[in-house]
Amino acid sequence: MPELPEVETIRRDLESRIIGKTITQVVVHLPKMVRGSLEDFSQTLQQNRISALQRVGKLLQLEFIETPFVLLIHLKMTGQLLYTHGNDFAAGGHPFPAFNEPLPNKWTHIELHFEDGSRLYFNDLRQFGYWQLATKNEQKTINQRYGIEPLTQGFTWEAFSEKMSKKKGILKAVLLDQTFISGLGNIYADEVCFASKVLPTRRVEILSMTELSALFENCQKIIEKAVENRGTSFRDYKDTQGKAGGYAKFLAVYGREKEPCLVCGTPIKKIKLAGRGTHFCPSCQK
DNA sequence: GGCGTTGTTGGGGA
DNA sequence: TTCCCCAACAACGC
């Protein structure tokens, strides 16, 4: 579900709410959502204070004051982190009525309770996500596997063009490759291709300098605008208060099959590419 | 009711 | 080595 803008929205929301708070209880309803030993998991987290929330690509990383372990959280397709303090949780308005049930519900797999009574719920309908404790060394190794990320200092034209010149393959697959560029997912990959006027089916080794430059610029522009708008809620994505993101209204091609292109009016096409639904304008994109 | 979808990612086989 | 397909899973739309 969430791509970089959605995970970043969650990270920022949580940062202002749980930094410095002590975990008083860990409740695991579905053990398979925890990678590694369950006993160590709860033991390690108990009575720890959260010192920082980081994000690398789509992976959230919680750090603690009393332990060097890091809590890695991946939401995969349908994971949600829902925060409640009293009754400030806005559950309404979900496209799937079943999701509007009070927390915890049948999709809640892990809970963190904090000393002030607030709680963090991990809901995941499809159960693809995971929570995992890692050492600082493991964290470092994991982070090194991620490619350059839009909105960071390392995302320069020099780095981008250098990497692209050595890369082969279908553009869509390259944009989705987290070890190459981190943070883009299926929605934003399609949007970046459209904004850059390049067909996602093209091979990257034959892209012109102008096209590469457009892709570089649009990776940043689109991700930045999506972050400003708190992400895209197309199906399951919700922020920590259960509210939708605001970027859906800016989507030019994703989810717009057969609808007219916003630039030229040609119906948007949808195909399967790199195993994913892929949307593009057959006229604007070359 | 069956089948094909779905925002991810890695593992296995060619 | 590189790429493609598929599974992990639940629920919805047709």
CSV table of all heavy atoms in Angstrom, one decimal, chain A residues 14-59:
chain,number,residue,atom,x,y,z
A,14,LEU,N,3.6,10.3,13.6
A,14,LEU,CA,4.0,9.5,14.8
A,14,LEU,C,5.1,10.3,15.6
A,14,LEU,O,5.1,10.3,16.8
A,14,LEU,CB,4.5,8.1,14.4
A,14,LEU,CG,3.4,7.1,14.1
A,14,LEU,CD1,4.0,5.8,13.8
A,14,LEU,CD2,2.4,7.1,15.2
A,15,GLU,N,6.0,10.9,14.8
A,15,GLU,CA,7.1,11.6,15.5
A,15,GLU,C,6.6,12.6,16.5
A,15,GLU,O,7.1,12.7,17.6
A,15,GLU,CB,8.0,12.3,14.4
A,15,GLU,CG,9.3,12.8,14.9
A,15,GLU,CD,10.2,13.3,13.8
A,15,GLU,OE1,9.7,14.0,12.9
A,15,GLU,OE2,11.3,12.8,13.7
A,16,SER,N,5.6,13.3,16.1
A,16,SER,CA,5.1,14.3,17.0
A,16,SER,C,4.3,13.7,18.2
A,16,SER,O,4.0,14.4,19.2
A,16,SER,CB,4.2,15.3,16.3
A,16,SER,OG,3.1,14.7,15.8
A,17,ARG,N,3.9,12.4,18.1
A,17,ARG,CA,3.1,11.9,19.1
A,17,ARG,C,3.8,10.9,20.0
A,17,ARG,O,3.3,10.8,21.2
A,17,ARG,CB,1.9,11.1,18.4
A,17,ARG,CG,0.9,12.1,17.7
A,17,ARG,CD,-0.2,11.3,17.0
A,17,ARG,NE,-1.2,12.2,16.6
A,17,ARG,CZ,-1.2,12.9,15.4
A,17,ARG,NH1,-0.2,12.7,14.6
A,17,ARG,NH2,-2.2,13.7,15.1
A,18,ILE,N,4.8,10.1,19.6
A,18,ILE,CA,5.3,9.1,20.4
A,18,ILE,C,6.8,9.2,20.8
A,18,ILE,O,7.3,8.4,21.6
A,18,ILE,CB,5.1,7.7,19.8
A,18,ILE,CG1,5.8,7.5,18.5
A,18,ILE,CG2,3.6,7.4,19.6
A,18,ILE,CD1,5.8,6.1,18.0
A,19,ILE,N,7.5,10.2,20.3
A,19,ILE,CA,8.9,10.4,20.7
A,19,ILE,C,8.9,10.7,22.2
A,19,ILE,O,8.1,11.5,22.8
A,19,ILE,CB,9.5,11.6,20.0
A,19,ILE,CG1,9.6,11.3,18.5
A,19,ILE,CG2,10.9,12.0,20.6
A,19,ILE,CD1,10.8,10.4,18.1
A,20,GLY,N,9.8,10.0,22.9
A,20,GLY,CA,9.9,10.2,24.4
A,20,GLY,C,9.0,9.4,25.2
A,20,GLY,O,9.1,9.3,26.4
A,21,LYS,N,8.0,8.7,24.6
A,21,LYS,CA,7.1,7.9,25.3
A,21,LYS,C,7.6,6.5,25.7
A,21,LYS,O,8.3,5.9,24.9
A,21,LYS,CB,5.7,7.8,24.6
A,21,LYS,CG,5.0,9.1,24.5
A,21,LYS,CD,3.6,9.0,24.0
A,21,LYS,CE,2.9,10.4,23.9
A,21,LYS,NZ,1.6,10.3,23.3
A,22,THR,N,7.2,6.0,26.8
A,22,THR,CA,7.7,4.7,27.2
A,22,THR,C,6.6,3.6,26.9
A,22,THR,O,5.4,3.8,27.1
A,22,THR,CB,7.9,4.7,28.8
A,22,THR,OG1,8.9,5.7,29.1
A,22,THR,CG2,8.3,3.3,29.2
A,23,ILE,N,7.1,2.5,26.3
A,23,ILE,CA,6.2,1.4,26.0
A,23,ILE,C,5.9,0.6,27.3
A,23,ILE,O,6.8,0.1,27.9
A,23,ILE,CB,6.8,0.5,24.9
A,23,ILE,CG1,7.1,1.3,23.6
A,23,ILE,CG2,6.0,-0.7,24.7
A,23,ILE,CD1,7.9,0.5,22.6
A,24,THR,N,4.7,0.6,27.7
A,24,THR,CA,4.3,-0.2,28.9
A,24,THR,C,3.9,-1.6,28.6
A,24,THR,O,3.9,-2.5,29.4
A,24,THR,CB,3.2,0.6,29.7
A,24,THR,OG1,2.1,0.8,28.8
A,24,THR,CG2,3.7,1.9,30.3
A,25,GLN,N,3.3,-1.8,27.4
A,25,GLN,CA,2.9,-3.2,27.1
A,25,GLN,C,2.9,-3.4,25.6
A,25,GLN,O,2.7,-2.5,24.8
A,25,GLN,CB,1.4,-3.3,27.5
A,25,GLN,CG,1.0,-4.8,27.7
A,25,GLN,CD,-0.4,-5.0,28.1
A,25,GLN,OE1,-1.1,-4.0,28.5
A,25,GLN,NE2,-1.0,-6.2,27.9
A,26,VAL,N,3.3,-4.6,25.2
A,26,VAL,CA,3.3,-5.1,23.8
A,26,VAL,C,2.3,-6.2,23.7
A,26,VAL,O,2.4,-7.2,24.4
A,26,VAL,CB,4.7,-5.6,23.4
A,26,VAL,CG1,4.7,-6.0,21.9
A,26,VAL,CG2,5.8,-4.5,23.7
A,27,VAL,N,1.3,-6.1,22.8
A,27,VAL,CA,0.4,-7.1,22.5
A,27,VAL,C,0.5,-7.6,21.1
A,27,VAL,O,0.4,-6.9,20.2
A,27,VAL,CB,-1.1,-6.6,22.7
A,27,VAL,CG1,-2.1,-7.7,22.6
A,27,VAL,CG2,-1.2,-5.9,24.1
A,28,VAL,N,0.8,-8.9,21.0
A,28,VAL,CA,0.9,-9.5,19.7
A,28,VAL,C,-0.2,-10.5,19.5
A,28,VAL,O,-0.3,-11.5,20.1
A,28,VAL,CB,2.3,-10.3,19.5
A,28,VAL,CG1,2.4,-10.9,18.1
A,28,VAL,CG2,3.4,-9.3,19.7
A,29,HIS,N,-1.2,-10.1,18.6
A,29,HIS,CA,-2.3,-11.0,18.3
A,29,HIS,C,-2.0,-12.0,17.2
A,29,HIS,O,-2.5,-13.1,17.3
A,29,HIS,CB,-3.5,-10.1,17.8
A,29,HIS,CG,-4.0,-9.1,18.7
A,29,HIS,ND1,-4.8,-9.4,19.8
A,29,HIS,CD2,-3.8,-7.8,18.8
A,29,HIS,CE1,-5.1,-8.3,20.5
A,29,HIS,NE2,-4.5,-7.3,19.9
A,30,LEU,N,-1.1,-11.7,16.3
A,30,LEU,CA,-0.8,-12.6,15.2
A,30,LEU,C,0.8,-12.7,15.1
A,30,LEU,O,1.4,-11.9,14.5
A,30,LEU,CB,-1.3,-12.1,13.9
A,30,LEU,CG,-1.3,-13.0,12.7
A,30,LEU,CD1,-2.0,-14.3,12.9
A,30,LEU,CD2,-1.8,-12.3,11.4
A,31,PRO,N,1.3,-13.8,15.8
A,31,PRO,CA,2.8,-13.9,15.9
A,31,PRO,C,3.5,-13.9,14.6
A,31,PRO,O,4.7,-13.4,14.6
A,31,PRO,CB,2.9,-15.3,16.6
A,31,PRO,CG,1.7,-15.5,17.3
A,31,PRO,CD,0.6,-14.8,16.5
A,32,LYS,N,2.9,-14.4,13.5
A,32,LYS,CA,3.7,-14.4,12.3
A,32,LYS,C,4.0,-13.0,11.7
A,32,LYS,O,4.9,-12.9,10.8
A,32,LYS,CB,3.0,-15.2,11.2
A,32,LYS,CG,1.8,-14.5,10.7
A,32,LYS,CD,1.3,-15.2,9.3
A,32,LYS,CE,0.2,-14.4,8.7
A,32,LYS,NZ,-0.2,-14.8,7.4
A,33,MET,N,3.4,-12.0,12.2
A,33,MET,CA,3.7,-10.6,11.8
A,33,MET,C,5.0,-10.2,12.3
A,33,MET,O,5.6,-9.2,11.9
A,33,MET,CB,2.6,-9.7,12.1
A,33,MET,CG,1.2,-10.0,11.7
A,33,MET,SD,1.1,-10.4,9.9
A,33,MET,CE,1.2,-8.7,9.3
A,34,VAL,N,5.5,-10.8,13.4
A,34,VAL,CA,6.8,-10.5,14.0
A,34,VAL,C,7.9,-11.4,13.4
A,34,VAL,O,7.8,-12.6,13.5
A,34,VAL,CB,6.8,-10.6,15.5
A,34,VAL,CG1,8.2,-10.4,16.1
A,34,VAL,CG2,5.8,-9.7,16.1
A,35,ARG,N,8.9,-10.8,12.8
A,35,ARG,CA,10.1,-11.6,12.4
A,35,ARG,C,11.0,-11.8,13.5
A,35,ARG,O,11.3,-10.9,14.3
A,35,ARG,CB,10.8,-10.8,11.2
A,35,ARG,CG,10.1,-10.8,9.9
A,35,ARG,CD,11.0,-10.3,8.9
A,35,ARG,NE,10.3,-10.2,7.6
A,35,ARG,CZ,10.9,-9.8,6.5
A,35,ARG,NH1,12.1,-9.3,6.5
A,35,ARG,NH2,10.2,-9.8,5.3
A,36,GLY,N,11.5,-13.0,13.6
A,36,GLY,CA,12.4,-13.4,14.7
A,36,GLY,C,11.7,-13.9,16.0
A,36,GLY,O,10.5,-14.1,15.9
A,37,SER,N,12.4,-14.0,17.1
A,37,SER,CA,11.8,-14.5,18.3
A,37,SER,C,10.8,-13.6,18.9
A,37,SER,O,11.0,-12.4,19.1
A,37,SER,CB,13.0,-14.8,19.3
A,37,SER,OG,12.4,-14.8,20.6
A,38,LEU,N,9.6,-14.2,19.2
A,38,LEU,CA,8.6,-13.4,19.8
A,38,LEU,C,8.9,-13.0,21.3
A,38,LEU,O,8.6,-11.9,21.6
A,38,LEU,CB,7.3,-14.3,19.9
A,38,LEU,CG,6.1,-13.9,19.1
A,38,LEU,CD1,4.8,-14.6,19.6
A,38,LEU,CD2,5.8,-12.4,19.2
A,39,GLU,N,9.5,-13.9,22.1
A,39,GLU,CA,9.8,-13.5,23.5
A,39,GLU,C,10.8,-12.4,23.5
A,39,GLU,O,10.6,-11.4,24.2
A,39,GLU,CB,10.4,-14.7,24.2
A,39,GLU,CG,9.4,-15.7,24.7
A,39,GLU,CD,10.0,-17.0,25.2
A,39,GLU,OE1,11.0,-16.9,25.9
A,39,GLU,OE2,9.4,-18.1,24.9
A,40,ASP,N,11.8,-12.5,22.7
A,40,ASP,CA,12.8,-11.4,22.7
A,40,ASP,C,12.1,-10.1,22.2
A,40,ASP,O,12.4,-9.0,22.7
A,40,ASP,CB,13.9,-11.7,21.6
A,40,ASP,CG,14.8,-12.8,22.1
A,40,ASP,OD1,14.6,-13.3,23.2
A,40,ASP,OD2,15.6,-13.3,21.3
A,41,PHE,N,11.2,-10.2,21.3
A,41,PHE,CA,10.5,-9.1,20.7
A,41,PHE,C,9.8,-8.2,21.8
A,41,PHE,O,10.1,-7.1,22.0
A,41,PHE,CB,9.5,-9.5,19.7
A,41,PHE,CG,8.8,-8.4,19.0
A,41,PHE,CD1,9.4,-7.6,18.0
A,41,PHE,CD2,7.5,-8.1,19.4
A,41,PHE,CE1,8.7,-6.6,17.4
A,41,PHE,CE2,6.8,-7.1,18.8
A,41,PHE,CZ,7.4,-6.3,17.8
A,42,SER,N,8.9,-8.9,22.6
A,42,SER,CA,8.2,-8.2,23.6
A,42,SER,C,9.1,-7.7,24.7
A,42,SER,O,9.0,-6.6,25.2
A,42,SER,CB,7.1,-9.0,24.1
A,42,SER,OG,6.2,-9.4,23.1
A,43,GLN,N,10.0,-8.6,25.1
A,43,GLN,CA,11.0,-8.3,26.2
A,43,GLN,C,11.8,-7.1,25.9
A,43,GLN,O,11.9,-6.2,26.8
A,43,GLN,CB,11.9,-9.5,26.4
A,43,GLN,CG,11.3,-10.7,27.2
A,43,GLN,CD,11.1,-10.3,28.6
A,43,GLN,OE1,11.9,-9.6,29.2
A,43,GLN,NE2,10.0,-10.8,29.2
A,44,THR,N,12.3,-7.0,24.7
A,44,THR,CA,13.2,-5.9,24.3
A,44,THR,C,12.5,-4.6,24.3
A,44,THR,O,13.0,-3.6,24.6
A,44,THR,CB,13.8,-6.2,22.9
A,44,THR,OG1,14.4,-7.5,23.0
A,44,THR,CG2,14.8,-5.2,22.6
A,45,LEU,N,11.2,-4.6,23.9
A,45,LEU,CA,10.5,-3.4,23.7
A,45,LEU,C,9.9,-2.8,25.0
A,45,LEU,O,9.8,-1.6,25.2
A,45,LEU,CB,9.3,-3.5,22.7
A,45,LEU,CG,9.8,-3.7,21.3
A,45,LEU,CD1,8.5,-4.0,20.4
A,45,LEU,CD2,10.6,-2.6,20.7
A,46,GLN,N,9.6,-3.7,26.0
A,46,GLN,CA,9.0,-3.3,27.2
A,46,GLN,C,9.9,-2.2,27.9
A,46,GLN,O,11.1,-2.4,28.1
A,46,GLN,CB,8.9,-4.5,28.2
A,46,GLN,CG,7.9,-5.5,27.7
A,46,GLN,CD,6.5,-5.3,28.3
A,46,GLN,OE1,6.2,-4.2,28.9
A,46,GLN,NE2,5.6,-6.2,28.0
A,47,GLN,N,9.2,-1.2,28.5
A,47,GLN,CA,9.8,-0.2,29.3
A,47,GLN,C,10.9,0.6,28.6
A,47,GLN,O,11.7,1.3,29.2
A,47,GLN,CB,10.5,-0.9,30.6
A,47,GLN,CG,9.4,-1.5,31.5
A,47,GLN,CD,8.3,-0.6,31.8
A,47,GLN,OE1,7.1,-0.9,31.6
A,47,GLN,NE2,8.6,0.6,32.4
A,48,ASN,N,10.9,0.6,27.3
A,48,ASN,CA,11.8,1.4,26.5
A,48,ASN,C,11.1,2.7,26.1
A,48,ASN,O,9.9,2.8,25.8
A,48,ASN,CB,12.3,0.7,25.3
A,48,ASN,CG,13.4,-0.2,25.6
A,48,ASN,OD1,14.3,0.2,26.3
A,48,ASN,ND2,13.4,-1.4,25.0
A,49,ARG,N,12.0,3.8,26.0
A,49,ARG,CA,11.5,5.0,25.5
A,49,ARG,C,11.9,5.2,24.1
A,49,ARG,O,13.1,5.0,23.7
A,49,ARG,CB,12.1,6.2,26.4
A,49,ARG,CG,11.1,6.7,27.4
A,49,ARG,CD,11.8,7.8,28.2
A,49,ARG,NE,13.1,7.3,28.8
A,49,ARG,CZ,14.0,8.1,29.3
A,49,ARG,NH1,13.9,9.4,29.2
A,49,ARG,NH2,15.1,7.6,29.8
A,50,ILE,N,11.0,5.7,23.2
A,50,ILE,CA,11.3,5.9,21.8
A,50,ILE,C,12.1,7.2,21.7
A,50,ILE,O,11.7,8.3,22.2
A,50,ILE,CB,10.0,6.0,21.0
A,50,ILE,CG1,9.3,4.6,21.1
A,50,ILE,CG2,10.3,6.4,19.6
A,50,ILE,CD1,7.9,4.6,20.5
A,51,SER,N,13.2,7.1,21.0
A,51,SER,CA,14.1,8.3,20.9
A,51,SER,C,14.0,8.9,19.5
A,51,SER,O,14.2,10.1,19.3
A,51,SER,CB,15.5,7.9,21.1
A,51,SER,OG,16.0,6.9,20.2
A,52,ALA,N,13.7,8.1,18.5
A,52,ALA,CA,13.7,8.7,17.1
A,52,ALA,C,12.9,7.8,16.2
A,52,ALA,O,12.8,6.6,16.4
A,52,ALA,CB,15.1,8.8,16.6
A,53,LEU,N,12.3,8.4,15.1
A,53,LEU,CA,11.6,7.7,14.1
A,53,LEU,C,12.3,8.0,12.7
A,53,LEU,O,12.3,9.2,12.3
A,53,LEU,CB,10.2,8.1,14.0
A,53,LEU,CG,9.2,7.2,14.7
A,53,LEU,CD1,8.7,7.9,15.9
A,53,LEU,CD2,8.0,6.9,13.8
A,54,GLN,N,12.9,7.0,12.1
A,54,GLN,CA,13.5,7.2,10.8
A,54,GLN,C,12.7,6.5,9.7
A,54,GLN,O,11.9,5.6,10.0
A,54,GLN,CB,14.9,6.7,10.8
A,54,GLN,CG,15.7,6.9,12.1
A,54,GLN,CD,16.4,8.3,12.1
A,54,GLN,OE1,16.2,9.1,11.2
A,54,GLN,NE2,17.1,8.6,13.2
A,55,ARG,N,13.0,6.9,8.5
A,55,ARG,CA,12.5,6.2,7.4
A,55,ARG,C,13.5,6.0,6.3
A,55,ARG,O,14.2,7.0,6.0
A,55,ARG,CB,11.2,6.9,6.8
A,55,ARG,CG,10.6,6.3,5.6
A,55,ARG,CD,9.6,7.2,4.9
A,55,ARG,NE,10.2,8.5,4.5
A,55,ARG,CZ,11.1,8.7,3.6
A,55,ARG,NH1,11.4,7.6,2.8
A,55,ARG,NH2,11.6,9.9,3.3
A,56,VAL,N,13.7,4.8,5.8
A,56,VAL,CA,14.5,4.6,4.6
A,56,VAL,C,13.7,3.9,3.5
A,56,VAL,O,13.1,2.9,3.8
A,56,VAL,CB,15.7,3.7,5.0
A,56,VAL,CG1,16.5,3.4,3.7
A,56,VAL,CG2,16.6,4.4,6.0
A,57,GLY,N,13.5,4.6,2.4
A,57,GLY,CA,12.5,4.1,1.4
A,57,GLY,C,11.2,4.0,2.0
A,57,GLY,O,10.6,4.9,2.6
A,58,LYS,N,10.6,2.8,2.0
A,58,LYS,CA,9.3,2.6,2.6
A,58,LYS,C,9.3,1.9,3.9
A,58,LYS,O,8.3,1.4,4.5
A,58,LYS,CB,8.4,1.7,1.6
A,58,LYS,CG,8.4,2.3,0.2
A,58,LYS,CD,7.7,1.3,-0.8
A,58,LYS,CE,7.9,1.8,-2.2
A,58,LYS,NZ,7.5,0.8,-3.2
A,59,LEU,N,10.6,1.8,4.5
A,59,LEU,CA,10.8,1.1,5.8
A,59,LEU,C,10.9,2.1,6.9
A,59,LEU,O,11.8,2.9,6.9
A,59,LEU,CB,12.0,0.3,5.7
A,59,LEU,CG,12.4,-0.7,6.8
A,59,LEU,CD1,11.3,-1.8,7.0
A,59,LEU,CD2,13.7,-1.3,6.6
